[in-house]
Amino acid sequence: MQQHTKGAMIEMSDKFSLVETSQDPIISPSPRLPAEILSLILSRILPSSVKLWTTHLLRDFIHVLLSCCLVSKAWCGPAREMLYKSIRLSQLESLYLLLRTVRSESFGGHCPAFALHFRPSFPDFALIKDIRKFATLAGEIVVCCPKLLFLTGDCGLLDFTSTMSYPRYPFLTYLKVSEQNLKFLAPLLPHLCNLKSFEMLQSCGDSDMLNDCFEPPSFKLSKLSISRTKLSPGLCKWLFASSSESVESLKVEEVGSNLQHLIEVMGGSVRELHIKSMFHYETKSDPESIKVISGLAGLRRLRIDGWDFKTEHLLNLQSSLETFAFSPYVARVRELRTLLQSGWQPSLQSLDLHLGPFSSLESWGVLERASRQWQDELTQTCAARGIQLNEICPT
């Protein structure tokens, strides 16, 4: 989440994020500063870079905010908003405590959280009733947060019902779920009219049930990431028909032939495509997936990561690529050099070689040990065509 936030977005542990701040503040003389100025001052206490935060520093910052809540009414509002800005929840008891606090007279049923992260931590033999209760409480908390910007839920533990009273969520632009049954997420989706980025990992959904029971989403996504999720044509249409002309960036991982269904719904708008570990046994027997990639006329940036990828799949691309990125295995480097020499993609401006932490880097090392010739010749080929060659290492 940190890469999506500006300034110091506070990632708090359960015990810090659930502190009761509903006590009447002590009335004492204090500077009459505008709330916006107070918020800016408080946000500058922590380093601007999340990487510089420490547990001790975060603990001190929480104590500062709690003290500010007791200075005066003028200070309590900005301090409390900063205190509850981003909340990470993993324990069932924490959800109970947060709901009790939010439903107190001081909060009036509205939580000022800008970001909610549900990452449950259960013992190995957790009771099913506790898991279900976590999911139900998580849904109730989300309903209390109309100012949300970001929402993430792991392990499928987000549960919403049609009987809940939902706010409009005008600011919620980022949603990430994993192992989520979409029938429990479906009641929330129509209320996310301004959602721009959606990430879904190992999730599932019955398109017939969703069509019969729930209103489809109306958001217009610009970024979509789908990993290890089975996508039927009906499910793709129900989820993404409203985004058919807005999705510019699409990332897929291990979806195999289901990529065809995605592209059939939104292929006309996709400008950037990242395929990870797709070219495997399933794709070898499914040439239709390769065909739909070839037909993406608006594609400008393409990245493919996978052991079995062959450059011959790219010969029929109808798009005018500006950037092509891949993992530099030995055979692939040779094939790509030949492809570039043939005049493939005359619009190409940059070629990015992504060196992975293990396999890709090792393969690049094999290339260097076997013969430096192929790397040198690829560099020369790119230089002859005016293509910028970039070697990108993992951070």
Side-chain angles (χ1 to χ4, degrees), residues 247-296:
V247 171
E248 295 187 358
S249 176
L250 175 61
K251 178 179 179 180
V252 293
E253 179 178 4
E254 296 181 13
V255 299
S257 60
N258 295 295
L259 176 60
Q260 178 181 357
H261 309 318
L262 277 171
I263 292 180
E264 286 175 350
V265 173
M266 63 189 67
S269 62
V270 174
R271 298 292 180 268
E272 179 177 357
L273 177 62
H274 181 186
I275 304 172
K276 187 175 182 180
S277 301
M278 172 188 166
F279 292 93
H280 207 269
Y281 64 90
E282 183 179 1
T283 308
K284 289 180 178 179
S285 61
D286 184 16
E288 291 302 313
S289 294
I290 306 301
K291 186 182 296 184
V292 294
I293 296 174
S294 301
L296 290 175

Side-chain angles (χ1 to χ4, degrees), residues 223-235:
K223 293 183 179 181
L224 176 62
S225 177
I226 305 289
S227 300
R228 286 169 276 173
T229 296
K230 187 176 182 180
L231 298 163
S232 66
L235 181 57

Side-chain angles (χ1 to χ4, degrees), residues 110-389:
H110 296 287
C111 178
F114 289 166
L116 287 175
H117 314 267
F118 294 98
R119 180 169 293 179
S121 177
F122 290 113
D124 293 336
F125 301 99
L127 298 176
I128 294 180
K129 66 175 184 178
D130 290 339
I131 297 175
R132 290 178 176 173
K133 191 61 179 177
F134 189 105
T136 301
L137 293 177
E140 293 179 14
I141 290 172
V142 172
V143 170
C144 295
C145 301
K147 295 182 179 181
L148 276 181
L149 301 174
F150 313 109
L151 173 63
T152 65
D154 291 343
C155 303
L157 292 182
L158 289 177
D159 190 353
F160 302 94
T161 66
S162 300
T163 59
M164 292 179 173
S165 179
Y166 296 92
R168 289 180 58 86
Y169 299 106
F171 312 112
L172 205 158
T173 59
Y174 175 85
L175 173 64
K176 181 179 180 180
V177 296
S178 67
E179 302 176 45
Q180 180 70 46
N181 190 324
L182 293 177
K183 71 178 181 180
F184 299 123
L185 187 66
L188 174 71
L189 296 180
H191 303 277
L192 310 184
C193 56
N194 293 320
L195 191 69
K196 300 301 180 185
S197 180
F198 187 15
E199 296 186 31
M200 186 163 54
L201 171 65
Q202 289 182 308
S203 298
C204 63
D206 184 334
S207 59
D208 291 335
M209 183 210 292
L210 293 174
N211 278 320
D212 293 340
C213 301
F214 302 104
E215 177 185 353
S218 60
F219 44 61
K220 298 187 183 303
L221 301 173
S222 59
K223 293 183 179 181
L224 176 62
S225 177
I226 305 289
S227 300
R228 286 169 276 173
T229 296
K230 187 176 182 180
L231 298 163
S232 66
L235 181 57
C236 287
K237 184 176 180 180
W238 187 87
L239 273 172
F240 307 122
S242 62
S243 302
S244 61
E245 298 181 358
S246 62
V247 171
E248 295 187 358
S249 176
L250 175 61
K251 178 179 179 180
V252 293
E253 179 178 4
E254 296 181 13
V255 299
S257 60
N258 295 295
L259 176 60
Q260 178 181 357
H261 309 318
L262 277 171
I263 292 180
E264 286 175 350
V265 173
M266 63 189 67
S269 62
V270 174
R271 298 292 180 268
E272 179 177 357
L273 177 62
H274 181 186
I275 304 172
K276 187 175 182 180
S277 301
M278 172 188 166
F279 292 93
H280 207 269
Y281 64 90
E282 183 179 1
T283 308
K284 289 180 178 179
S285 61
D286 184 16
E288 291 302 313
S289 294
I290 306 301
K291 186 182 296 184
V292 294
I293 296 174
S294 301
L296 290 175
L299 196 63
R300 297 295 176 263
R301 295 173 296 279
L302 175 62
R303 176 179 174 184
I304 299 178
D305 296 319
W307 282 97
D308 298 321
F309 161 60
K310 300 295 183 181
T311 55
E312 63 191 45
H313 298 314
L314 303 175
L315 287 173
N316 297 322
L317 275 180
Q318 299 178 20
S319 56
S320 298
L321 293 181
E322 297 172 358
T323 300
F324 178 60
F326 70 106
S327 303
Y329 303 111
V330 178
R332 190 174 306 162
V333 171
R334 297 173 179 174
E335 293 173 0
L336 184 61
R337 174 177 170 267
T338 302
L339 201 61
L340 292 174
Q341 288 178 331
S342 70
W344 176 74
Q345 287 294 322
S347 59
L348 199 64
Q349 300 174 13
S350 63
L351 182 65
D352 296 342
L353 279 60
H354 286 267
L355 306 178
F358 300 109
S359 59
S360 296
L361 184 60
E362 179 181 352
S363 296
W364 189 252
V366 170
L367 173 60
E368 289 186 314
R369 291 193 298 270
S371 174
R372 191 71 181 176
Q373 175 184 353
W374 291 110
Q375 181 190 5
D376 294 339
E377 291 184 354
L378 179 61
T379 301
Q380 294 171 7
T381 301
C382 288
R385 286 191 46 176
I387 298 173
Q388 182 175 345
L389 181 61

